[in-house]
Amino acid sequence: GGFFAEEFEVAELIYAEAALRLRLPEKKVLKCVEATVKVITWALTEGKDFDFVFKNFGVLVCRGKRVVMRFFEDLLRDVDETGILANTFLQV
């Protein structure tokens, strides 16, 4: 139980949904995510600056120990038709 068990369950659902939508084996999706997390962890540990671009989604920007996700405006508008989410992120 506890926080980590709940977090793990959510992660499993995300991998399963991504695999289904991408028509890829769930294990392959999991390995890609794990590899990406390893690279990001290494960069953060070494104090490297980086921009990780998610095509049609946004950019994860790391400068020193500060990490910020910059979402593309079109994605925010597509995800939230009310505009509340887009306005919140665009004002930050």
Side-chain angles (χ1 to χ4, degrees), residues 37 52 61-62 79-80:
V37 169
F52 193 88
V61 178
C62 180
V79 169
D80 178 23

Side-chain angles (χ1 to χ4, degrees), residues 4-37:
F4 293 110
E6 291 172 14
E7 185 175 303
F8 186 69
E9 289 172 12
V10 171
E12 283 182 350
L13 291 173
I14 292 170
Y15 295 131
E17 183 177 344
L20 181 64
R21 289 180 183 221
L22 295 170
R23 295 184 179 93
L24 293 171
E26 189 174 335
K27 187 174 182 177
K28 186 172 190 171
V29 173
L30 176 64
K31 291 293 181 189
C32 287
V33 171
E34 286 176 345
T36 302
V37 169

Side-chain angles (χ1 to χ4, degrees), residues 51-54 57-61 63 66-73 75-76 89-92:
D51 297 344
F52 193 88
V53 179
F54 295 88
F57 191 80
V59 181
L60 182 67
V61 178
R63 298 294 179 266
R66 187 163 187 249
V67 180
V68 177
M69 184 68 202
R70 306 251 185 232
F71 296 99
F72 295 138
E73 189 173 339
L75 171 78
L76 294 174
F89 280 105
L90 294 174
Q91 291 174 6
V92 173

